[in-house]
Amino acid sequence: YSSKDLTGIEYIDSYVFNKVEDIRFNSTVGKFVGYTEHGVYNAETWNKDSGILAQELGELERFCKYNAANHYSAILDKTGEQG
């Protein structure tokens, strides 16, 4: 995300094996995309399952937006003034 109001927030879940990204879920795209033969197969299978897609999209709310306030309070809202 690029602003405190969380506009443009994006959740990405990548699956990597032997340093090669096989598959990725991107909340902006709303589905899995495969980058290898195995990844394409899994993406096609997982994209047909509305439960899996809903679970991944839920991570945007459960993890990203929930923790964004902590990130701001810990890092971005600091004034940088030394006492």
Side-chain angles (χ1 to χ4, degrees):
Y1 52 92
S2 57
S3 66
K4 196 166 185 171
D5 68 357
L6 304 181
T7 55
I9 193 168
E10 183 176 56
Y11 171 73
I12 297 173
D13 189 10
S14 294
Y15 295 79
V16 177
F17 180 73
N18 281 344
K19 300 181 183 179
V20 175
E21 185 176 26
D22 288 322
I23 189 170
R24 177 189 301 171
F25 177 85
N26 182 317
S27 64
T28 303
V29 177
K31 66 179 184 175
F32 291 94
V33 176
Y35 298 103
T36 64
E37 183 178 346
H38 184 254
V40 169
Y41 173 81
N42 282 333
E44 290 172 354
T45 302
W46 296 350
N47 286 332
K48 293 176 186 175
D49 188 327
S50 60
I52 292 174
L53 292 176
Q55 181 177 345
E56 288 289 329
L57 285 170
E59 292 299 301
L60 183 68
E61 295 292 329
R62 187 195 69 78
F63 182 78
C64 297
K65 290 184 179 180
Y66 178 80
N67 287 303
N70 294 333
H71 293 223
Y72 271 108
S73 65
I75 299 169
L76 300 176
D77 286 343
K78 303 296 183 202
T79 63
E81 296 177 17
Q82 297 180 359

